[in-house]
Amino acid sequence: MKPTNKHALRIVLASGLIAFSALAVEASEGGGDASKGKAVYEGTCVFCHGKNGKGEIPGTPDFTKATGVLSQADAVLIDHISNGFESENSSMPMPAKGGNEDLSEGDVENVLAYLHKEFAHR
Ligand code: HEC
């Protein structure tokens, strides 16, 4: 390998490491980006959960309630948003990804960050 190639390789490796540590920091802070999550919410969730998070149709929970569904652990909420959820005596289940299968894992994390920021301040 020519010395210049070695140098280039070192730069690639170093920038990869920086990108990786940036990702790690983001993950430890809960991951999601609320401003990106807003678009996800308004594109997919708002029809059932409403602009104010109190629920637009019967059976949807009130996100603004202090002891409500958003007080659950993020891992639980990520699971319920991604895979769908039906509580006991539910009048209607929550569809997986709100019925929008185009949503990525990142979209789900972002929309959860938005829910916390907008409706349940913690
Ligand atoms: C078709 C209507 C509909 C759409 C669209 C929808 N939801 Fe729901 N969601 C519901 C209903 C109904 C429930 C209550 C289900 C139950 O308790 O059985 C629910 C429950 C929830 C819960 C609480 C789950 C729990 O653990 O109790 C969260 C969080 C949630 N939705 C987030 C979202 C997000 C984020 C989106 C958009 C990606 C979304 N929902 C889209 C109908 C919807």
Side-chain angles (χ1 to χ4, degrees):
M1 199 185 273
K2 279 192 277 174
T4 46
N5 285 350
K6 238 188 220 165
H7 186 62
L9 186 67
R10 217 176 279 141
I11 290 172
V12 169
L13 283 178
S15 47
L17 204 65
I18 291 166
F20 179 76
S21 3
L23 268 180
V25 167
E26 208 179 291
S28 69
E29 285 169 355
D33 178 334
S35 54
K36 288 187 189 146
K38 185 175 197 287
V40 176
Y41 190 81
E42 289 174 354
T44 299
C45 323
V46 73
F47 308 107
C48 293
H49 289 285
K51 188 119 184 94
N52 61 10
K54 289 175 190 278
E56 205 58 63
I57 55 170
T60 45
D62 180 354
F63 287 152
T64 65
K65 223 168 88 183
T67 55
V69 293
L70 293 185
S71 56
Q72 300 175 99
D74 280 0
V76 172
L77 292 168
I78 294 273
D79 175 43
H80 290 174
I81 296 169
S82 305
N83 303 313
F85 175 71
E86 184 165 13
S87 57
E88 233 177 286
N89 306 318
S90 168
S91 55
M92 181 185 159
M94 156 80 192
K97 296 179 174 178
N100 181 356
E101 57 188 35
D102 291 340
L103 293 191
S104 67
E105 247 173 71
D107 290 332
V108 171
E109 283 173 13
N110 292 343
V111 79
L112 181 58
Y114 176 76
L115 296 184
H116 282 316
K117 178 166 177 277
E118 195 67 17
F119 306 126
H121 304 275
R122 72 164 167 95

Coordinates of all heavy atoms in Angstrom, one line a residue, residues 42-103:
E42 N -47.6 14.4 12.8 CA -48.6 15.1 12.0 C -48.9 14.4 10.7 O -50.0 14.6 10.1 CB -48.1 16.6 11.7 CG -48.2 17.4 13.0 CD -47.6 18.8 12.9 OE1 -47.1 19.1 11.8 OE2 -47.8 19.5 13.9
G43 N -48.0 13.5 10.3 CA -48.3 12.7 9.1 C -49.0 11.4 9.3 O -49.7 10.9 8.5
T44 N -48.9 10.9 10.5 CA -49.5 9.5 10.8 C -50.4 9.5 12.0 O -51.4 8.8 12.0 CB -48.3 8.5 11.0 OG1 -47.5 8.5 9.8 CG2 -48.8 7.1 11.2
C45 N -50.0 10.1 13.1 CA -50.6 9.8 14.4 C -51.8 10.8 14.7 O -52.7 10.4 15.4 CB -49.6 9.9 15.5 SG -47.9 9.3 15.1
V46 N -51.7 12.0 14.1 CA -52.6 13.1 14.5 C -54.1 12.7 14.2 O -54.9 13.2 14.9 CB -52.2 14.4 13.8 CG1 -52.5 14.3 12.3 CG2 -52.8 15.6 14.5
F47 N -54.3 11.9 13.2 CA -55.7 11.6 12.8 C -56.4 10.9 13.9 O -57.6 11.1 14.1 CB -55.7 10.7 11.6 CG -54.8 11.3 10.5 CD1 -53.6 10.8 10.1 CD2 -55.3 12.5 9.9 CE1 -52.8 11.4 9.1 CE2 -54.5 13.1 8.9 CZ -53.3 12.6 8.5
C48 N -55.7 10.1 14.7 CA -56.4 9.4 15.8 C -56.1 10.1 17.2 O -56.9 10.1 18.0 CB -55.9 7.9 15.9 SG -56.4 6.9 14.5
H49 N -54.9 10.6 17.3 CA -54.5 11.1 18.7 C -54.7 12.6 18.8 O -54.6 13.1 19.9 CB -53.0 10.8 18.9 CG -52.8 9.3 19.2 ND1 -53.2 8.7 20.4 CD2 -52.4 8.3 18.5 CE1 -52.9 7.4 20.4 NE2 -52.4 7.1 19.2
G50 N -55.0 13.3 17.7 CA -55.3 14.7 17.8 C -54.1 15.6 17.9 O -53.1 15.2 18.5
K51 N -54.3 16.8 17.5 CA -53.2 17.8 17.5 C -52.8 18.1 19.0 O -51.6 18.3 19.3 CB -53.7 19.1 16.9 CG -52.7 20.2 16.7 CD -52.5 20.5 15.2 CE -51.4 21.5 15.0 NZ -50.1 20.9 14.7
N52 N -53.8 18.1 19.9 CA -53.5 18.4 21.3 C -53.1 17.1 22.1 O -53.0 17.2 23.3 CB -54.6 19.1 21.9 CG -55.9 18.3 21.9 OD1 -55.9 17.1 21.6 ND2 -57.0 18.9 22.3
G53 N -53.1 15.9 21.5 CA -52.7 14.7 22.2 C -53.7 14.1 23.1 O -53.5 13.1 23.8
K54 N -54.9 14.7 23.1 CA -56.0 14.2 24.0 C -56.8 13.1 23.4 O -57.7 12.5 24.0 CB -56.9 15.3 24.5 CG -56.1 16.3 25.4 CD -57.1 17.5 25.8 CE -56.3 18.5 26.5 NZ -56.2 18.3 27.9
G55 N -56.6 12.8 22.1 CA -57.3 11.8 21.4 C -58.5 12.3 20.6 O -59.3 13.1 21.1
E56 N -58.5 11.9 19.4 CA -59.5 12.4 18.4 C -60.7 11.4 18.3 O -61.8 11.8 18.0 CB -58.8 12.5 17.1 CG -59.4 13.5 16.1 CD -59.4 14.9 16.6 OE1 -58.4 15.5 16.9 OE2 -60.5 15.4 16.7
I57 N -60.4 10.1 18.6 CA -61.5 9.1 18.4 C -61.6 8.3 19.7 O -60.6 8.2 20.5 CB -61.2 8.2 17.2 CG1 -59.8 7.5 17.4 CG2 -61.3 8.9 15.9 CD1 -59.6 6.4 16.4
P58 N -62.8 7.7 19.9 CA -63.0 7.0 21.2 C -61.9 5.8 21.3 O -61.6 5.2 20.3 CB -64.4 6.4 21.0 CG -65.1 7.2 20.0 CD -64.0 7.7 19.1
G59 N -61.4 5.6 22.5 CA -60.4 4.6 22.7 C -59.0 5.0 22.7 O -58.1 4.3 23.2
T60 N -58.7 6.2 22.2 CA -57.4 6.7 22.3 C -57.1 7.3 23.6 O -57.9 8.0 24.2 CB -57.1 7.8 21.2 OG1 -58.2 8.7 21.2 CG2 -56.9 7.2 19.8
P61 N -55.9 7.1 24.2 CA -55.5 7.6 25.5 C -55.2 9.1 25.4 O -54.9 9.7 24.4 CB -54.3 6.9 25.9 CG -53.7 6.5 24.6 CD -54.8 6.3 23.6
D62 N -55.4 9.8 26.6 CA -55.0 11.2 26.7 C -53.5 11.3 27.0 O -53.1 11.0 28.1 CB -55.9 11.9 27.8 CG -55.5 13.3 28.0 OD1 -54.6 13.8 27.3 OD2 -56.2 14.0 28.8
F63 N -52.7 11.7 26.0 CA -51.2 11.8 26.3 C -50.9 12.8 27.3 O -49.8 12.8 27.8 CB -50.5 12.1 24.9 CG -50.5 11.0 23.9 CD1 -50.4 11.3 22.6 CD2 -50.5 9.7 24.3 CE1 -50.4 10.3 21.6 CE2 -50.5 8.6 23.4 CZ -50.4 8.9 22.0
T64 N -51.7 13.8 27.6 CA -51.3 14.9 28.5 C -51.6 14.6 29.9 O -51.2 15.3 30.8 CB -52.1 16.2 28.1 OG1 -53.5 16.0 28.4 CG2 -52.0 16.6 26.6
K65 N -52.2 13.4 30.2 CA -52.5 13.0 31.6 C -51.1 12.6 32.3 O -50.4 11.8 31.8 CB -53.4 11.8 31.6 CG -54.5 11.9 32.6 CD -55.6 10.8 32.4 CE -55.2 9.5 33.1 NZ -56.2 8.4 32.8
A66 N -50.9 13.2 33.4 CA -49.6 13.1 34.1 C -49.3 11.6 34.4 O -48.1 11.2 34.2 CB -49.6 13.9 35.4
T67 N -50.2 10.8 34.8 CA -50.0 9.4 35.2 C -50.4 8.5 34.0 O -50.6 7.3 34.2 CB -50.8 9.0 36.4 OG1 -52.2 9.4 36.2 CG2 -50.3 9.8 37.6
G68 N -50.6 9.1 32.8 CA -51.1 8.4 31.7 C -50.0 7.5 31.0 O -49.0 7.2 31.6
V69 N -50.4 7.1 29.8 CA -49.6 6.1 29.1 C -48.1 6.5 28.9 O -47.2 5.7 28.8 CB -50.2 5.7 27.7 CG1 -51.5 5.0 27.9 CG2 -50.4 6.9 26.8
L70 N -47.9 7.8 28.7 CA -46.5 8.3 28.5 C -45.6 8.2 29.7 O -44.4 8.4 29.6 CB -46.5 9.7 27.9 CG -47.1 9.9 26.5 CD1 -47.0 11.3 26.0 CD2 -46.5 8.9 25.5
S71 N -46.2 7.8 30.8 CA -45.3 7.6 32.0 C -44.6 6.3 32.0 O -43.8 6.0 32.9 CB -46.1 7.9 33.3 OG -47.2 7.0 33.4
Q72 N -45.0 5.4 31.1 CA -44.4 4.1 30.9 C -42.9 4.3 30.4 O -42.6 5.3 29.8 CB -45.1 3.2 30.0 CG -46.6 3.0 30.4 CD -47.3 2.2 29.3 OE1 -47.5 1.0 29.4 NE2 -47.8 2.9 28.2
A73 N -42.1 3.2 30.6 CA -40.7 3.2 30.1 C -40.7 3.4 28.6 O -41.6 2.9 27.9 CB -40.0 2.0 30.5
D74 N -39.7 4.1 28.1 CA -39.5 4.3 26.7 C -39.5 3.0 25.9 O -40.1 2.9 24.8 CB -38.2 5.1 26.4 CG -38.5 6.6 26.6 OD1 -39.6 7.0 27.0 OD2 -37.5 7.4 26.4
A75 N -38.8 2.0 26.5 CA -38.7 0.7 25.8 C -40.1 0.1 25.5 O -40.4 -0.5 24.5 CB -37.9 -0.3 26.6
V76 N -41.0 0.3 26.5 CA -42.4 -0.2 26.4 C -43.1 0.6 25.3 O -43.8 0.0 24.5 CB -43.1 -0.1 27.8 CG1 -44.6 -0.4 27.6 CG2 -42.5 -1.0 28.8
L77 N -42.9 1.9 25.4 CA -43.6 2.8 24.4 C -43.1 2.5 23.0 O -44.0 2.4 22.1 CB -43.4 4.2 24.8 CG -44.2 4.6 26.1 CD1 -43.7 6.0 26.6 CD2 -45.7 4.6 25.9
I78 N -41.8 2.3 22.8 CA -41.3 2.0 21.5 C -41.9 0.7 21.0 O -42.3 0.6 19.8 CB -39.7 1.9 21.6 CG1 -39.1 3.2 21.9 CG2 -39.2 1.3 20.3 CD1 -38.7 4.1 20.8
D79 N -42.0 -0.3 21.9 CA -42.6 -1.6 21.5 C -44.0 -1.4 21.1 O -44.4 -1.9 20.0 CB -42.4 -2.5 22.7 CG -43.1 -3.9 22.4 OD1 -42.9 -4.4 21.3 OD2 -43.8 -4.4 23.2
H80 N -44.8 -0.6 21.8 CA -46.2 -0.5 21.5 C -46.5 0.3 20.3 O -47.4 0.0 19.5 CB -47.0 0.1 22.7 CG -47.0 -0.8 23.9 ND1 -47.5 -0.4 25.1 CD2 -46.7 -2.1 24.1 CE1 -47.5 -1.4 26.0 NE2 -46.9 -2.4 25.4
I81 N -45.6 1.3 20.0 CA -45.8 2.1 18.8 C -45.4 1.2 17.6 O -46.0 1.2 16.6 CB -44.9 3.4 18.9 CG1 -45.4 4.3 20.0 CG2 -45.0 4.1 17.5 CD1 -44.5 5.5 20.3
S82 N -44.3 0.5 17.7 CA -43.7 -0.3 16.6 C -44.6 -1.5 16.2 O -44.8 -1.8 15.1 CB -42.3 -0.8 16.9 OG -41.5 0.3 17.2
N83 N -45.1 -2.2 17.3 CA -45.8 -3.5 17.1 C -47.3 -3.4 17.3 O -47.9 -4.4 17.1 CB -45.1 -4.5 18.0 CG -43.6 -4.6 17.8 OD1 -43.2 -4.7 16.7 ND2 -42.9 -4.6 18.9
G84 N -47.8 -2.3 17.7 CA -49.2 -2.1 18.0 C -49.4 -2.5 19.4 O -48.6 -3.1 20.1
F85 N -50.6 -2.2 19.9 CA -50.9 -2.5 21.3 C -52.4 -2.5 21.5 O -53.2 -1.7 20.9 CB -50.3 -1.4 22.1 CG -50.7 -1.5 23.6 CD1 -50.2 -2.5 24.4 CD2 -51.6 -0.6 24.2 CE1 -50.5 -2.6 25.7 CE2 -51.9 -0.7 25.5 CZ -51.4 -1.7 26.3
E86 N -52.9 -3.4 22.4 CA -54.3 -3.4 22.7 C -54.4 -3.6 24.2 O -54.0 -4.6 24.7 CB -55.1 -4.5 22.0 CG -56.5 -4.5 22.2 CD -57.3 -5.3 21.2 OE1 -56.7 -6.1 20.4 OE2 -58.6 -5.1 21.2
S87 N -55.0 -2.7 24.9 CA -55.2 -2.8 26.4 C -56.4 -3.6 26.7 O -57.2 -3.9 25.8 CB -55.2 -1.4 27.0 OG -56.3 -0.7 26.5
E88 N -56.5 -4.0 27.9 CA -57.7 -4.8 28.4 C -59.0 -4.0 28.2 O -59.0 -2.8 28.4 CB -57.5 -5.1 29.9 CG -57.6 -6.6 30.2 CD -57.4 -6.9 31.6 OE1 -56.2 -6.8 32.1 OE2 -58.4 -7.1 32.4
N89 N -60.0 -4.6 27.8 CA -61.3 -4.0 27.5 C -61.2 -2.8 26.5 O -61.9 -1.8 26.6 CB -61.9 -3.4 28.8 CG -62.0 -4.5 29.9 OD1 -62.4 -5.6 29.6 ND2 -61.7 -4.2 31.1
S90 N -60.2 -2.9 25.6 CA -60.0 -1.9 24.6 C -61.2 -1.8 23.6 O -61.7 -2.8 23.2 CB -58.7 -2.1 23.9 OG -58.6 -1.3 22.8
S91 N -61.5 -0.6 23.3 CA -62.6 -0.5 22.3 C -62.0 -0.5 20.9 O -62.6 -0.7 19.9 CB -63.4 0.8 22.5 OG -62.5 1.9 22.5
M92 N -60.6 -0.3 20.8 CA -59.9 -0.2 19.5 C -58.5 -0.4 19.8 O -57.9 0.3 20.6 CB -60.2 1.1 18.8 CG -59.6 1.2 17.5 SD -59.9 2.9 16.8 CE -58.5 2.9 15.6
P93 N -57.8 -1.2 19.0 CA -56.3 -1.3 19.2 C -55.5 -0.2 18.5 O -56.0 0.4 17.6 CB -56.0 -2.7 18.6 CG -57.0 -2.9 17.6 CD -58.3 -2.2 18.0
M94 N -54.3 0.0 19.0 CA -53.4 0.9 18.4 C -52.7 0.1 17.3 O -52.1 -1.0 17.5 CB -52.4 1.3 19.4 CG -51.0 1.8 18.9 SD -51.1 3.5 18.3 CE -49.5 3.5 17.4
P95 N -52.8 0.5 16.0 CA -52.2 -0.3 14.9 C -50.7 -0.1 14.9 O -50.2 0.9 15.3 CB -52.8 0.3 13.6 CG -53.2 1.7 14.0 CD -53.5 1.7 15.5
A96 N -49.9 -1.2 14.6 CA -48.5 -1.1 14.5 C -48.0 0.1 13.6 O -48.6 0.3 12.5 CB -47.9 -2.4 13.9
K97 N -47.1 0.9 14.2 CA -46.6 2.1 13.5 C -47.7 3.0 13.1 O -47.6 3.7 12.1 CB -45.8 1.7 12.3 CG -44.5 0.9 12.7 CD -43.7 0.6 11.5 CE -42.4 -0.1 11.9 NZ -41.6 -0.5 10.7
G98 N -48.9 3.0 13.8 CA -50.0 3.8 13.4 C -50.5 3.5 12.1 O -51.2 4.3 11.4
G99 N -50.2 2.2 11.6 CA -50.7 1.8 10.3 C -49.9 2.3 9.1 O -50.2 2.0 8.0
N100 N -48.8 2.9 9.5 CA -47.9 3.4 8.4 C -46.6 2.6 8.4 O -45.6 2.9 9.1 CB -47.5 4.9 8.7 CG -46.6 5.5 7.6 OD1 -46.2 4.8 6.7 ND2 -46.4 6.8 7.7
E101 N -46.6 1.6 7.6 CA -45.4 0.6 7.6 C -44.1 1.2 7.0 O -43.1 0.6 7.1 CB -45.8 -0.7 6.9 CG -46.2 -0.5 5.5 CD -46.7 -1.9 4.9 OE1 -47.4 -2.6 5.6 OE2 -46.5 -2.1 3.7
D102 N -44.2 2.4 6.5 CA -43.0 3.1 6.0 C -42.2 3.7 7.1 O -41.0 4.1 6.9 CB -43.4 4.2 5.0 CG -43.9 3.7 3.7 OD1 -43.7 2.5 3.4 OD2 -44.6 4.5 3.0
L103 N -42.7 3.8 8.3 CA -42.0 4.4 9.4 C -40.8 3.5 9.8 O -40.9 2.3 9.9 CB -42.9 4.5 10.7 CG -44.0 5.5 10.6 CD1 -44.6 5.8 11.9 CD2 -43.6 6.9 9.9

